[in-house]
Amino acid sequence: MTRRTDWAEYDALPTADRGRAGERAYDDAVDGEAGHDVEAGDGAVDGPRRGGRSRGGAGPRGRRRRSGFGDPPGAAQDDGPPDSPRAERGESSGDPAERARNICLRLLTGTPRTRKQLADALRKREIPDDVAEEVLSRFEEVGLINDSAFADAWVESRHHGRGLARRALARELRTKGVDSTVIDEAVGQLDSEQEEETARDLVARKLRSTRGLDRDKRLRRLAGMLARKGYPEGMALRVVRQALEEEGEDTEDLGFAE
């Protein structure tokens, strides 16, 4: 029976073990075990869970954390040293396919990546385009690259963690090379009611810091915060106006409708 990669299980692994899990998953998918068609994920699920210790005795402490979905750009060190002796051999190998495979495995160790992100990294390292295309396609086949799962996880993390609205989420995914159809499906998880509820929570948390300012300045500051997170202007103004009214501010002369 074939089995696709379980991204939740892969992401639950400590950083130190994800690269080895990815190598095992890739090799299992290519070679098979005992005559079975094995796909990515079978190597990953047997690794230690977050908070446990790896078989080499090095727990999650002591290793520099790689960047996640909520980290600022540049937090991940894509050009750092290989994470395993096997990856190091692959980087110095004269075989471009082996180099490409190990570059991808190393980059996938810290966090999931889109196909375009990996393609850009291979191009930067002067991997021939035809070799890169073949390696990336194989990684997609075994489930180590999955732009749809990436986009779903990105929307879930960035909306609940940073309060980003659909427009901002779509913009971020476009910069990572995710296909527009995949983006539409991912941001479609959020509806207008959910967006507005999140906008109200954001304003409620920020409201106290604006007390003491005049009403118009409070309005601009709060609505601007929502605009930067991708909320439509009409929704932002409506949510801020209602929050100010609940604090006793007179908003009748602001000149926009409910």
Side-chain angles (χ1 to χ4, degrees), residues 178-198:
V178 179
D179 182 78
S180 59
T181 302
V182 175
I183 291 174
D184 291 342
E185 292 176 355
V187 300
Q189 301 174 46
L190 305 175
D191 56 30
S192 297
E193 291 183 2
Q194 189 172 356
E195 270 193 330
E196 185 160 336
E197 181 179 351
T198 302

Side-chain angles (χ1 to χ4, degrees), residues 143-160:
L144 292 177
I145 301 175
N146 187 330
D147 281 4
S148 179
F150 178 96
D152 289 345
W154 187 271
V155 168
E156 176 73 15
S157 173
R158 300 286 281 177
H159 178 72
H160 293 290

Side-chain angles (χ1 to χ4, degrees), residues 122-151:
L122 295 180
R123 189 174 300 110
K124 179 180 178 181
R125 289 162 174 81
E126 300 182 348
I127 301 295
D129 289 345
D130 58 336
V131 174
E133 181 71 19
E134 181 179 354
V135 170
L136 293 173
S137 294
R138 187 58 178 148
F139 269 58
E140 279 189 328
E141 289 176 10
V142 301
L144 292 177
I145 301 175
N146 187 330
D147 281 4
S148 179
F150 178 96

Side-chain angles (χ1 to χ4, degrees), residues 74-95:
Q77 301 298 318
D78 291 352
D79 296 322
D83 290 304
S84 70
R86 177 173 183 167
E88 186 174 355
R89 290 196 302 272
E91 284 278 15
S92 60
S93 170
D95 179 7

Side-chain angles (χ1 to χ4, degrees), residues 192-211:
S192 297
E193 291 183 2
Q194 189 172 356
E195 270 193 330
E196 185 160 336
E197 181 179 351
T198 302
R200 293 183 191 283
D201 290 341
L202 290 169
V203 169
R205 292 200 297 267
K206 186 76 171 176
L207 198 61
R208 178 178 296 181
S209 67
T210 67
R211 289 171 185 164

Side-chain angles (χ1 to χ4, degrees), residues 28-103:
D28 289 349
V30 171
D31 300 329
E33 293 181 348
H36 294 289
D37 179 15
V38 182
E39 294 205 10
D42 290 353
V45 295
D46 295 328
R49 299 291 182 181
R50 189 181 300 276
R53 299 188 66 85
S54 67
R55 283 179 289 183
R61 296 182 183 274
R63 290 189 62 90
R64 181 167 54 85
R65 188 177 70 86
R66 304 296 285 250
S67 70
F69 284 157
D71 292 332
Q77 301 298 318
D78 291 352
D79 296 322
D83 290 304
S84 70
R86 177 173 183 167
E88 186 174 355
R89 290 196 302 272
E91 284 278 15
S92 60
S93 170
D95 179 7
E98 181 71 6
R99 287 185 59 225
R101 187 170 76 87
N102 282 281
I103 288 168

